Short mmCIF file of all heavy atoms in Angstrom, two decimals:
data_model
loop_
_atom_site.label_atom_id
_atom_site.label_comp_id
_atom_site.label_asym_id
_atom_site.label_seq_id
_atom_site.Cartn_x
_atom_site.Cartn_y
_atom_site.Cartn_z
N ALA A 1 112.43 97.63 114.98
CA ALA A 1 112.57 97.65 116.50
C ALA A 1 111.64 98.62 117.06
O ALA A 1 110.99 98.32 118.16
CB ALA A 1 114.01 98.06 116.79
N THR A 2 111.46 99.77 116.46
CA THR A 2 110.44 100.72 117.01
C THR A 2 108.99 100.18 117.00
O THR A 2 108.21 100.37 117.91
CB THR A 2 110.43 102.07 116.34
OG1 THR A 2 111.88 102.56 116.44
CG2 THR A 2 109.63 103.06 116.91
N LEU A 3 108.69 99.44 115.78
CA LEU A 3 107.41 98.84 115.73
C LEU A 3 107.16 97.78 116.81
O LEU A 3 106.00 97.64 117.37
CB LEU A 3 107.06 98.21 114.35
CG LEU A 3 106.97 99.30 113.26
CD1 LEU A 3 106.89 98.58 111.90
CD2 LEU A 3 105.66 100.09 113.45
N LYS A 4 108.19 97.05 117.22
CA LYS A 4 108.03 96.12 118.29
C LYS A 4 107.73 96.80 119.57
O LYS A 4 106.91 96.39 120.41
CB LYS A 4 109.37 95.23 118.44
CG LYS A 4 109.53 94.28 117.27
CD LYS A 4 110.79 93.46 117.42
CE LYS A 4 110.94 92.57 116.25
NZ LYS A 4 112.30 91.84 116.30
N ASP A 5 108.45 98.01 119.80
CA ASP A 5 108.12 98.76 121.06
C ASP A 5 106.79 99.28 121.09
O ASP A 5 106.13 99.38 122.09
CB ASP A 5 109.14 99.98 121.12
CG ASP A 5 110.62 99.57 121.56
OD1 ASP A 5 110.75 98.43 122.16
OD2 ASP A 5 111.48 100.43 121.48
N ILE A 6 106.29 99.69 119.96
CA ILE A 6 104.99 100.20 119.76
C ILE A 6 103.97 99.15 120.21
O ILE A 6 103.01 99.43 121.02
CB ILE A 6 104.69 100.71 118.42
CG1 ILE A 6 105.53 102.08 118.20
CG2 ILE A 6 103.14 100.89 118.07
CD1 ILE A 6 105.61 102.45 116.80
N VAL A 7 104.11 97.90 119.80
CA VAL A 7 103.17 96.81 120.15
C VAL A 7 103.30 96.56 121.58
O VAL A 7 102.26 96.34 122.27
CB VAL A 7 103.44 95.67 119.22
CG1 VAL A 7 102.68 94.41 119.75
CG2 VAL A 7 103.10 95.92 117.79
N ALA A 8 104.51 96.55 122.10
CA ALA A 8 104.73 96.18 123.49
C ALA A 8 104.13 97.30 124.36
O ALA A 8 103.80 96.94 125.54
CB ALA A 8 106.31 96.11 123.81
N HIS A 9 103.93 98.47 123.95
CA HIS A 9 103.32 99.56 124.76
C HIS A 9 101.76 99.83 124.25
O HIS A 9 101.36 100.91 124.67
CB HIS A 9 104.14 100.80 124.69
CG HIS A 9 105.47 100.61 125.41
ND1 HIS A 9 106.59 100.12 124.77
CD2 HIS A 9 105.80 100.69 126.67
CE1 HIS A 9 107.53 99.95 125.62
NE2 HIS A 9 107.14 100.31 126.84
N GLY A 10 101.19 98.98 123.63
CA GLY A 10 99.74 99.11 123.39
C GLY A 10 99.36 99.70 122.02
O GLY A 10 98.13 99.77 121.69
N GLY A 11 100.34 99.94 121.12
CA GLY A 11 100.01 100.34 119.83
C GLY A 11 99.83 99.12 118.84
O GLY A 11 100.01 98.01 119.28
N LYS A 12 99.44 99.49 117.62
CA LYS A 12 99.23 98.37 116.67
C LYS A 12 99.98 98.73 115.35
O LYS A 12 99.99 99.81 114.98
CB LYS A 12 97.83 98.20 116.31
CG LYS A 12 96.99 97.72 117.46
CD LYS A 12 95.56 97.58 117.07
CE LYS A 12 94.82 97.11 118.38
NZ LYS A 12 93.32 97.27 118.23
N VAL A 13 100.54 97.70 114.70
CA VAL A 13 101.29 97.82 113.42
C VAL A 13 100.21 97.85 112.33
O VAL A 13 99.49 96.93 112.27
CB VAL A 13 102.33 96.73 113.20
CG1 VAL A 13 102.85 96.80 111.80
CG2 VAL A 13 103.46 96.81 114.26
N VAL A 14 100.27 98.85 111.52
CA VAL A 14 99.37 98.94 110.31
C VAL A 14 100.10 98.42 109.13
O VAL A 14 99.50 97.67 108.27
CB VAL A 14 98.85 100.46 110.10
CG1 VAL A 14 98.03 100.49 108.84
CG2 VAL A 14 98.10 100.86 111.34
N ALA A 15 101.34 98.84 108.94
CA ALA A 15 102.19 98.36 107.91
C ALA A 15 103.61 98.14 108.44
O ALA A 15 104.13 99.04 108.96
CB ALA A 15 102.21 99.28 106.73
N PRO A 16 104.12 96.95 108.31
CA PRO A 16 105.50 96.77 108.75
C PRO A 16 106.47 97.47 108.00
O PRO A 16 106.09 98.04 106.88
CB PRO A 16 105.75 95.23 108.66
CG PRO A 16 104.66 94.79 107.65
CD PRO A 16 103.56 95.71 107.67
N ARG A 17 107.74 97.49 108.32
CA ARG A 17 108.88 98.24 107.67
C ARG A 17 108.76 97.87 106.12
O ARG A 17 108.70 96.67 105.72
CB ARG A 17 110.17 97.76 108.17
CG ARG A 17 111.34 98.55 107.54
CD ARG A 17 112.67 97.87 108.10
NE ARG A 17 113.83 98.64 107.65
CZ ARG A 17 114.37 98.53 106.50
NH1 ARG A 17 113.93 97.75 105.55
NH2 ARG A 17 115.42 99.22 106.15
N PHE A 18 108.67 98.94 105.28
CA PHE A 18 108.78 98.68 103.86
C PHE A 18 109.57 99.90 103.22
O PHE A 18 109.83 100.93 103.83
CB PHE A 18 107.40 98.56 103.18
CG PHE A 18 106.52 99.80 103.35
CD1 PHE A 18 106.42 100.77 102.30
CD2 PHE A 18 105.91 100.04 104.50
CE1 PHE A 18 105.58 101.87 102.38
CE2 PHE A 18 104.96 101.10 104.65
CZ PHE A 18 104.86 102.04 103.55
N GLU A 19 110.07 99.56 101.99
CA GLU A 19 110.96 100.59 101.42
C GLU A 19 110.22 101.16 100.19
O GLU A 19 109.54 100.36 99.36
CB GLU A 19 112.28 99.89 100.91
CG GLU A 19 113.10 99.34 102.13
CD GLU A 19 114.41 98.68 101.64
OE1 GLU A 19 114.58 98.51 100.36
OE2 GLU A 19 115.23 98.36 102.45
N VAL A 20 110.36 102.33 99.87
CA VAL A 20 110.02 102.95 98.66
C VAL A 20 111.24 103.30 98.03
O VAL A 20 111.88 104.24 98.45
CB VAL A 20 109.11 104.31 98.95
CG1 VAL A 20 108.69 104.91 97.65
CG2 VAL A 20 107.81 103.96 99.79
N LYS A 21 111.65 102.54 96.98
CA LYS A 21 112.94 102.58 96.34
C LYS A 21 113.29 104.03 95.98
O LYS A 21 112.49 104.67 95.28
CB LYS A 21 113.11 101.57 95.17
CG LYS A 21 112.98 100.14 95.55
CD LYS A 21 114.17 99.79 96.37
CE LYS A 21 114.14 98.25 96.57
NZ LYS A 21 114.99 97.85 97.64
N GLY A 22 114.49 104.45 96.39
CA GLY A 22 115.00 105.80 95.97
C GLY A 22 114.35 107.00 96.76
O GLY A 22 114.60 108.09 96.49
N VAL A 23 113.40 106.52 97.72
CA VAL A 23 112.70 107.63 98.49
C VAL A 23 112.94 107.43 100.00
O VAL A 23 113.46 108.51 100.64
CB VAL A 23 111.22 107.67 98.10
CG1 VAL A 23 110.51 108.82 98.88
CG2 VAL A 23 111.01 107.79 96.60
N VAL A 24 112.39 106.42 100.53
CA VAL A 24 112.33 106.36 101.99
C VAL A 24 112.08 104.89 102.53
O VAL A 24 111.64 104.12 101.74
CB VAL A 24 111.19 107.32 102.53
CG1 VAL A 24 109.86 106.67 102.15
CG2 VAL A 24 111.25 107.54 104.03
N VAL A 25 112.43 104.65 103.82
CA VAL A 25 112.10 103.43 104.50
C VAL A 25 111.10 103.83 105.57
O VAL A 25 111.36 104.81 106.41
CB VAL A 25 113.31 102.75 105.15
CG1 VAL A 25 112.89 101.57 105.97
CG2 VAL A 25 114.39 102.45 104.05
N LEU A 26 109.95 103.15 105.56
CA LEU A 26 108.93 103.52 106.63
C LEU A 26 108.19 102.40 107.08
O LEU A 26 108.25 101.26 106.63
CB LEU A 26 108.03 104.72 106.09
CG LEU A 26 107.48 104.59 104.73
CD1 LEU A 26 106.04 104.62 104.65
CD2 LEU A 26 108.01 105.82 104.05
N GLY A 27 107.30 102.78 108.12
CA GLY A 27 106.41 101.76 108.70
C GLY A 27 105.21 102.60 109.22
O GLY A 27 105.39 103.73 109.51
N LEU A 28 104.03 101.94 109.34
CA LEU A 28 102.86 102.67 109.85
C LEU A 28 102.29 101.89 111.06
O LEU A 28 102.37 100.80 111.15
CB LEU A 28 101.81 102.76 108.82
CG LEU A 28 102.32 103.49 107.40
CD1 LEU A 28 101.21 103.25 106.37
CD2 LEU A 28 102.59 104.86 107.62
N PHE A 29 101.72 102.78 112.05
CA PHE A 29 101.17 102.19 113.25
C PHE A 29 100.08 103.13 113.70
O PHE A 29 99.84 104.18 113.24
CB PHE A 29 102.20 102.03 114.28
CG PHE A 29 102.74 103.32 114.89
CD1 PHE A 29 102.19 103.84 116.10
CD2 PHE A 29 103.72 104.15 114.23
CE1 PHE A 29 102.68 105.05 116.59
CE2 PHE A 29 104.17 105.26 114.86
CZ PHE A 29 103.63 105.83 116.01
N THR A 30 99.24 102.58 114.69
CA THR A 30 98.29 103.31 115.45
C THR A 30 98.78 103.37 116.91
O THR A 30 99.21 102.37 117.36
CB THR A 30 96.89 102.92 115.24
OG1 THR A 30 96.80 101.51 115.75
CG2 THR A 30 96.35 103.07 113.87
N ASP A 31 98.49 104.55 117.51
CA ASP A 31 98.84 104.61 118.97
C ASP A 31 97.76 103.90 119.78
O ASP A 31 96.75 103.49 119.18
CB ASP A 31 99.13 105.98 119.33
CG ASP A 31 97.95 106.96 119.38
OD1 ASP A 31 96.85 106.50 119.24
OD2 ASP A 31 98.23 108.14 119.49
N PRO A 32 97.80 103.88 120.99
CA PRO A 32 96.82 103.16 121.81
C PRO A 32 95.29 103.82 121.66
O PRO A 32 94.43 103.11 121.89
CB PRO A 32 97.33 103.29 123.33
CG PRO A 32 98.81 103.35 123.18
CD PRO A 32 99.03 104.17 121.87
#
């Protein structure tokens, strides 16, 4: 949901939501 907000406000998705098993859930983006 946050990546969608980022795109809506001028940012770009670099990596959509992904899981690192046993560690973390993350996503990557660039701001405007």
Side-chain angles (χ1 to χ4, degrees):
T2 304
L3 288 171
K4 287 179 185 175
D5 283 347
I6 286 166
V7 170
H9 291 92
K12 295 180 181 167
V13 174
V14 173
R17 183 187 188 277
F18 64 99
E19 298 180 354
V20 179
K21 294 291 183 199
V23 181
V24 69
V25 175
L26 43 122
L28 302 173
F29 70 96
T30 56
D31 69 11

